[in-house]
Amino acid sequence: MKRAKMFKKSLACLSAAATLLSSGIMTSANAAVITEGKENNYHNYAEALQLALCFYDANKCGDKVADDGYYSWRANCHVIDGEIPLKPMSPMPTVGKGKTDDQLKEDQGLGQGDEGKANPNLGDDDPDLYVGVNMSEKFIEANKKYLDPDGNGTVDLTGGWHDAGDHVKFGLPGSYSASTVGWGYYEFRDSYKDLGLDKHVEDELRWINDYFMKATFLDGDGKVVAYCYQVGEGNNDHNYWCPPELQQDNTMVASSSCAVKRPAYFATTEMPASDQCAGASASLAINYLNFKDTDPDYADECLKYAKALYDFAVETHIEEWKPGMVPSNSSLGYDGGFYTSSYDYDELAWAAVWLYYCTENYDYIDDIISVDTTKPISDSGSYDEQAQTGQQPSYAYTGYMKRIITDTGNCWQNIWVHCWDTVWGGVFAKLAPITNTARDWYIFRYNLEFWSGCSKTTDCSAWGYEPVHGHKYFGRDDYLWNMPMTCDKIPELPDSETSGDFIAKSPNGWAVVSGYGSARYNTAAGLCACVYAKTTGDETFLPWAKAQMEYILGKNPMGYSYEVGYESNFASHPHHRSSHCSATQSMDDPIVQVHTLWGALVGGPDLKDVHVDETKDYIYNEVTDDYNAGFCGDLAGLYHYYGAKGKVDEKENYVIKDFDMSSNAIGYDQVDENGDPLPVGYFVSGGKAQEKKDGIQLKLVLHNRTINPPRFECDVKARYYFNIQELIDQGYGIDYITARIDYDQEAGYTNNKSHAVLSDPVKYDDKGTYYVDVTWKDCKFYGSRVYQFALTTKMDPETNIYPEWDSSNDYSYPDLVSFEDENAASAITDKVTLYADDKLIWGTEPDGTTAGGSEYVVDKDTTTTTTKKGDSSKTTTTTTTSEDAPTNSYGDANCDGKVDMSDVVLIMQALSNPNKYGLKGTDKNHLTAEGQSNADCDLSTPGMSTGDALAIQKFLLKKVASLPIK
């Protein structure tokens, strides 16, 4: 993994780059990237895993994101999490009560999703609502020395992961994801190391587990005082569609603020959240195992916090229960209705089983499986212990297992596998080889049979694998709980004559437990299948897991991968604010997402093998931490069994060398609704109206579409050039030009707290050229701002007439479009220039000076060029003096003997306006045939394209060493 450098450029260094749809690539608002004639490699688990890890870098939160170095388009965000007020919030949330068995039949493992707001606009209109922490004043005062040791009245909770395409740090899916990614690394560490991905996954695991420890507040004895499991309020956060970097106070995105409430929810003795504490404990315990041999001090710290959180979860666990009855749980964390926990017994068991692996203390296992054998709760009296016949007496479970199996006369079948809400799938995968009882092996195996199998009468010819057609019979329920059994005995068992339930399958064999985010469950089941094979040596379920992954990677009726950026055909519209990077808070704008959210596993198809690749469709295209968690482990396992050296798919498995996460995949060119290039960065568009003999009404639109990363760095001025030679010829001077301000959008949006300023005319040359500047100073907005003004002549007092002035020959006039009939009309123009710190950052001045200037000019003594394209044997870059520079060289589109930003601008102009700047363009500086040949410096796309403009910018910014690029 090559860690991309974070480019920290001043505003004056920014450039604008336009891009077009690449030839042969089809993409639209509701269609995946499909490359005609290119089929995906359905077996490259190595590349898929390499990409899958990247999703967690896109979801990092805090004040150290910019220094992390993986993505150039991510920067520090939610720094306000570092100063969350230590004061009671209003209203105070209630403690969760869990779900009944009937409710679990409907929504186990499901959440409301990004658009499932329970209370839209929660607290937006009241600045005092949902601010602070869910602690009473009394509790804060009693524990202030632990919560606020520096005494500044706030708590620092920066860090962690955003949950999905939103920016809340939700507890249960966060700890589930961290523990499951860690689990996959624990089981298949060899895969990560073999592929060189161990450093990357360890970075991810440190990032999130460090946050769990940071969010845990211990007293002097090392006991938990409070654990923060959630920062942010979903009902507020989900109202805004903007990148996390733009969620700041006192700023504007488009026409409104994206500032969000960031309350903090803690597990305490007065507000228990035993499920949340146990979930984090499990992740930290697994992290101990993953680092104990390479960084023992760090591992020991993780284990200390894991034990403390588990003990606190046990201490604060509240239930109502009678022996032999299903317990009800009433100590669950708050989630705002988005990730409602079913109960905490599974998280407690998940933590306990891993703490056993850390310590080999069997007390943790007893916490899960203990049974009160002192008194049976039912006894038929027919049991003959010596003959082992009849119905055994039933005893009540007292451990965490009592939530799913009340007594030893019963057993349980898991259909939901391993997910953020119920982690029993993982629990039994790790519990069975410890207890070696028929009960635990049965539950572990039944789930895999249920997911992979089908009845004997089902047509599975199109599935790509031969499913199992039955369930192994382990024995009667009342015998299973304490019957010793090792895994090597399982293949000898007969098939059950009564159990024939299997999960629903699509016509092409896709297993679906829920149409909402189907792939997350499927890949978690795939991870369990790989762990089963590793633990037992029985590879029965691997062909199913392999076929399901082939389906995910593109071998499906839709013809594309459900992993963003994988190979040549993939879903490209994930429901993710940061990658979409809208400047208008709209899921429909831009049409093509700005950034490739590499490796994100989208929700997936439904039971009809149908998928909708559309940004706003969160059912099909949501992406979350928990979606990718099982996915990573599944891929690592499949690589171990099929892709590693000596395996059947060895030749098809490889990582992308020198992978730059910040670069986009094919199909991510920025275009407008007409398919025309859409610049990014800072640029200007303009319009005209009320054209008369004595003046003109003008509209300038300042665009802030900074994307690398997006930011509110607005202190710029736009310059409009005009010529008054006609007035001079009549004997008038510049004092006869007067300005009229018609509309200032910035002033309207901010209630005049900030506004643009129009300057007096400034002389540019002796040929009658002047200019006016429109300055936006300290205007923190993202998107666009409109400024309308008029330049007209004033009356001659001697003649009482208005001198005529022809504005149509002004330098800045030609690209303007009329907004007389369409108020929103404007056209991008490089004839209106833009400046920051008095440095040109957009456009071309009348004397030909272009944006980039001194910031991008090659060293004055040397010019970096390449050998001519005709010599195919030479592709290396050479450095020559400017006098020796070849006339036909890569990147030199304007044929001036050097490569700089003026070449980028000309390529963009020629592509967007070929009639003016193309080979036969009317502009005197139009592209020449030699320049077109020089411009073709991105060899991945034949002919001149916007990829060439981007290649030159990468070269100037030293992101590539030479031109051309492949």
Side-chain angles (χ1 to χ4, degrees):
M1 169 61 64
K2 178 181 178 182
R3 290 171 64 124
K5 296 290 185 181
M6 170 61 75
F7 291 97
K8 297 181 178 178
K9 302 187 289 290
S10 68
L11 179 58
C13 294
L14 290 176
S15 63
T19 53
L20 287 167
L21 286 177
S22 301
S23 177
I25 306 297
M26 298 185 298
T27 183
S28 69
N30 61 349
V33 169
I34 302 291
T35 307
E36 296 179 358
K38 282 193 176 183
E39 191 176 82
N40 282 3
N41 175 355
Y42 307 129
H43 308 114
N44 193 352
Y45 316 116
E47 178 187 334
L49 178 58
Q50 178 187 30
L51 300 182
L53 289 172
C54 301
F55 177 75
Y56 293 102
D57 297 299
N59 269 30
K60 286 177 177 172
C61 180
D63 56 357
K64 293 181 173 59
V65 178
D67 300 325
D68 185 57
Y70 281 104
Y71 271 122
S72 65
W73 48 270
R74 284 301 327 280
N76 294 344
C77 65
H78 301 117
V79 293
I80 57 173
D81 290 357
E83 296 182 339
I84 293 179
L86 197 57
K87 68 176 186 178
M89 70 170 64
S90 175
M92 193 68 75
T94 57
V95 177
K97 300 292 185 182
K99 299 175 183 175
T100 66
D101 282 347
D102 287 340
Q103 290 172 320
L104 292 180
K105 293 177 183 178
E106 300 296 327
D107 61 2
Q108 183 176 5
L110 298 178
Q112 285 198 25
D114 198 356
E115 290 299 297
K117 296 182 287 248
N119 298 289
N121 307 308
L122 188 63
D124 280 3
D125 300 327
D126 189 335
D128 296 323
L129 286 180
Y130 296 93
V131 175
V133 297
N134 63 330
M135 301 177 186
S136 67
E137 195 67 59
K138 181 180 178 181
F139 184 88
I140 293 171
E141 284 301 316
N143 296 281
K144 199 165 188 178
K145 63 180 179 179
Y146 308 120
L147 298 169
D148 185 21
D150 61 5
N152 69 349
T154 66
V155 285
D156 180 4
L157 294 167
T158 51
W161 288 335
H162 301 141
D163 170 58
D166 59 356
H167 306 129
V168 181
K169 293 183 282 195
F170 283 112
L172 276 190
S175 62
Y176 162 83
S177 302
S179 63
T180 302
V181 172
W183 180 26
Y185 186 44
Y186 172 80
E187 300 288 357
F188 301 106
R189 193 185 191 99
D190 59 329
S191 296
Y192 284 94
K193 293 184 72 67
D194 187 31
L195 297 170
L197 300 176
D198 50 329
K199 176 64 167 62
H200 194 180
V201 71
E202 287 184 3
D203 284 352
E204 307 299 348
L205 294 173
R206 283 182 184 270
W207 181 279
I208 188 60
N209 284 286
D210 287 355
Y211 175 71
F212 291 153
M213 290 188 282
K214 180 178 184 177
T216 304
F217 296 80
L218 305 178
D219 64 15
D221 297 323
K223 295 182 177 180
V224 174
V225 171
Y227 164 63
C228 180
Y229 57 85
Q230 179 176 321
V231 177
E233 173 54 58
N235 289 294
N236 180 255
D237 178 275
H238 290 186
N239 292 323
Y240 306 103
W241 188 261
C242 66
E245 291 82 3
L246 304 182
Q247 287 195 317
Q248 300 179 27
D249 292 333
N250 303 314
T251 58
M252 301 279 281
V253 178
S255 61
S256 63
S257 171
C258 274
V260 295
K261 304 293 182 71
R262 302 287 287 181
Y265 296 90
F266 286 82
T268 64
T269 52
E270 68 172 3
M271 295 289 287
S274 46
D275 54 341
Q276 307 282 355
C277 295
S281 172
S283 179
L284 287 162
I286 297 170
N287 216 41
Y288 163 79
L289 294 169
N290 282 328
F291 286 94
K292 67 183 180 65
D293 296 328
T294 57
D295 192 345
D297 290 341
Y298 173 68
D300 287 344
E301 188 75 358
C302 291
L303 183 57
K304 180 184 79 171
Y305 276 86
K307 289 179 176 179
L309 281 165
Y310 178 75
D311 290 343
F312 189 66
V314 172
E315 175 192 343
T316 55
H317 167 77
I318 301 172
E319 65 180 25
E320 291 184 10
W321 172 71
K322 292 181 180 180
M325 302 298 290
V326 176
S328 61
N329 189 200
S330 57
S331 54
L332 307 178
Y334 170 87
D335 68 295
F338 294 90
Y339 290 97
T340 303
S341 180
S342 296
Y343 42 72
D344 66 357
Y345 298 92
D346 57 322
E347 282 86 20
L348 286 164
W350 184 230
V353 75
W354 283 110
L355 284 169
Y356 168 80
Y357 278 93
C358 295
T359 65
E360 296 187 357
N361 182 347
Y362 206 83
D363 289 345
Y364 288 116
I365 301 302
D366 282 336
D367 287 350
I368 305 171
I369 67 171
S370 61
V371 174
D372 181 4
T373 58
T374 61
K375 181 180 179 181
I377 58 172
S378 65
D379 186 358
S380 66
S382 64
Y383 176 58
D384 186 329
E385 185 174 5
Q386 185 174 0
Q388 289 286 295
T389 59
Q391 180 72 38
Q392 292 196 62
S394 297
Y395 302 99
Y397 278 101
T398 56
Y400 306 135
M401 206 174 283
K402 65 188 175 188
R403 182 57 184 82
I404 54 174
I405 313 175
T406 59
D407 60 80
T408 60
N410 295 284
C411 200
W412 183 66
Q413 297 169 343
N414 181 22
I415 67 170
W416 275 94
V417 74
H418 181 71
C419 65
W420 67 264
D421 184 22
T422 49
V423 290
W424 290 120
V427 169
F428 284 98
K430 301 312 296 179
L431 185 63
I434 299 171
T435 63
N436 275 315
T437 63
R439 174 198 59 207
D440 298 339
W441 283 118
Y442 166 69
I443 294 173
F444 185 12
R445 183 180 173 98
Y446 178 92
N447 181 253
L448 295 172
E449 293 168 339
F450 178 77
W451 273 79
S452 64
C454 68
S455 69
K456 294 179 181 180
T457 59
T458 302
D459 180 7
C460 54
S461 57
W463 292 9
Y465 65 95
E466 181 59 35
V468 298
H469 296 294
H471 294 276
K472 288 291 185 182
Y473 180 66
F474 282 72
R476 282 178 17 194
D477 287 352
D478 59 319
Y479 281 82
L480 294 184
W481 71 281
N482 65 351
M483 180 189 297
M485 178 177 286
T486 52
C487 60
D488 59 307
K489 304 298 182 185
I490 298 175
E492 303 171 4
L493 296 174
D495 286 343
S496 170
E497 296 180 0
T498 58
S499 179
D501 292 334
F502 301 98
I503 199 170
K505 308 288 198 305
S506 73
N508 282 71
W510 178 249
V512 179
V513 73
S514 168
Y516 182 2
S518 62
R520 57 175 151 174
Y521 306 108
N522 195 297
T523 52
L527 169 59
C528 290
C530 292
V531 172
Y532 185 86
K534 177 190 174 186
T535 308
T536 66
D538 181 355
E539 300 184 1
T540 297
F541 307 109
L542 288 181
W544 170 80
K546 183 176 187 286
Q548 298 294 280
M549 187 58 72
E550 291 172 355
Y551 187 107
I552 288 173
L553 298 182
K555 193 176 182 181
N556 58 61
M558 300 300 294
Y560 55 80
S561 169
Y562 295 117
E563 182 182 27
V564 176
Y566 180 77
E567 296 281 326
S568 301
N569 311 283
F570 52 86
S572 63
H573 294 81
H575 188 78
H576 197 269
R577 291 160 176 79
S578 188
S579 64
H580 187 238
C581 201
S582 175
T584 57
Q585 292 205 51
S586 169
M587 296 182 204
D588 297 321
D589 178 29
I591 296 172
V592 179
Q593 295 211 355
V594 173
H595 304 293
T596 302
L597 192 63
W598 292 105
L601 179 67
V602 300
D606 56 26
L607 261 177
K608 296 180 179 180
D609 291 307
V610 171
H611 176 261
V612 177
D613 185 37
E614 190 171 311
T615 300
K616 59 188 175 185
D617 196 325
Y618 61 90
I619 298 296
Y620 286 105
N621 255 25
E622 182 117 61
V623 286
T624 76
D625 296 338
D626 69 283
Y627 286 21
N628 266 55
F631 185 43
C632 288
D634 192 4
L635 287 166
L638 290 172
Y639 175 81
H640 173 83
Y641 284 106
Y642 294 104
K645 187 175 181 180
K647 303 297 184 180
V648 64
D649 294 327
E650 175 189 354
K651 292 183 179 180
E652 296 183 72
N653 273 262
Y654 44 82
V655 296
I656 303 171
K657 292 183 178 180
D658 299 323
F659 177 49
D660 180 3
M661 289 165 52
S662 298
S663 295
N664 274 341
I666 54 175
Y668 276 79
D669 305 317
Q670 289 297 288
V671 294
D672 62 19
E673 64 273 11
N674 298 318
D676 295 324
L678 181 63
V680 295
Y682 278 84
F683 58 97
V684 181
S685 62
K688 59 187 178 180
Q690 299 180 9
E691 294 185 79
K692 299 178 180 179
K693 292 182 178 181
D694 59 352
I696 188 173
Q697 184 184 28
L698 300 163
K699 174 172 68 175
L700 300 185
V701 185
L702 170 64
H703 299 266
N704 173 4
R705 285 196 74 223
T706 52
I707 62 170
N708 247 334
R711 53 196 171 286
F712 298 111
E713 200 174 4
C714 194
D715 192 354
V716 298
K717 59 185 176 184
R719 181 166 294 171
Y720 184 88
Y721 296 91
F722 60 98
N723 190 281
I724 64 166
Q725 191 60 48
E726 302 91 346
L727 293 179
I728 295 174
D729 292 343
Q730 298 173 57
Y732 299 104
I734 191 62
D735 54 321
Y736 269 81
I737 291 290
T738 184
R740 181 187 77 235
I741 300 173
D742 294 334
Y743 176 60
D744 181 354
Q745 193 176 58
E746 172 68 12
Y749 281 165
T750 65
N751 199 23
N752 213 36
K753 291 180 180 178
S754 58
H755 56 86
V757 176
L758 181 66
S759 74
D760 292 330
V762 178
K763 185 176 181 180
Y764 177 77
D765 59 25
D766 293 329
K767 300 177 181 179
T769 303
Y770 285 77
Y771 64 80
V772 289
D773 287 334
V774 179
T775 302
W776 287 266
K777 188 174 179 59
D778 298 325
C779 302
K780 293 185 177 181
F781 70 84
Y782 190 83
S784 62
R785 286 295 181 269
V786 177
Y787 190 83
Q788 291 180 196
F789 65 100
L791 294 176
T792 61
T793 60
K794 59 184 179 181
M795 183 183 292
D796 182 339
E798 295 182 3
T799 62
N800 290 329
I801 61 173
Y802 292 92
E804 293 187 4
W805 166 47
D806 182 9
S807 59
S808 65
N809 62 0
D810 294 344
Y811 175 78
S812 295
Y813 176 90
D815 294 331
L816 304 182
V817 295
S818 174
F819 63 94
E820 199 101 46
D821 299 321
E822 184 181 348
N823 191 54
S826 68
I828 297 172
T829 174
D830 70 327
K831 296 295 190 293
V832 177
T833 52
L834 196 61
Y835 303 82
D837 300 326
D838 291 321
K839 295 178 181 179
L840 182 64
I841 62 171
W842 166 263
T844 303
E845 295 177 338
D847 64 0
T849 301
T850 58
S854 60
E855 296 292 336
Y856 294 100
V857 169
V858 183
D859 185 275
K860 63 180 179 181
D861 295 324
T862 61
T863 300
T864 303
T865 62
T866 60
T867 55
K868 292 188 178 183
K869 299 178 187 178
D871 186 357
S872 60
S873 65
K874 299 179 182 179
T875 57
T876 57
T877 298
T878 59
T879 302
T880 64
T881 64
S882 57
E883 295 176 358
D884 298 330
T887 57
N888 184 5
S889 56
Y890 285 107
D892 186 15
N894 61 6
C895 302
D896 65 353
K898 58 187 178 182
V899 179
D900 57 24
M901 279 301 296
S902 63
D903 300 302
V904 175
V905 172
L906 181 57
I907 292 172
M908 291 162 51
Q909 291 173 328
L911 290 169
S912 61
N913 193 349
N915 291 333
K916 189 172 183 180
Y917 297 106
L919 289 178
K920 297 181 181 181
T922 58
D923 191 273
K924 64 179 181 178
N925 295 317
H926 71 84
L927 188 75
T928 65
E930 180 182 355
Q932 185 181 53
S933 177
N934 291 346
D936 186 13
C937 55
D938 179 2
L939 302 187
S940 66
T941 305
M944 190 181 74
S945 71
T946 54
D948 301 311
L950 294 176
I952 294 172
Q953 290 184 90
K954 290 179 180 179
F955 170 68
L956 295 173
L957 293 171
K958 295 181 172 58
K959 291 183 69 176
V960 296
S962 62
L963 295 174
I965 66 172
K966 296 182 180 180

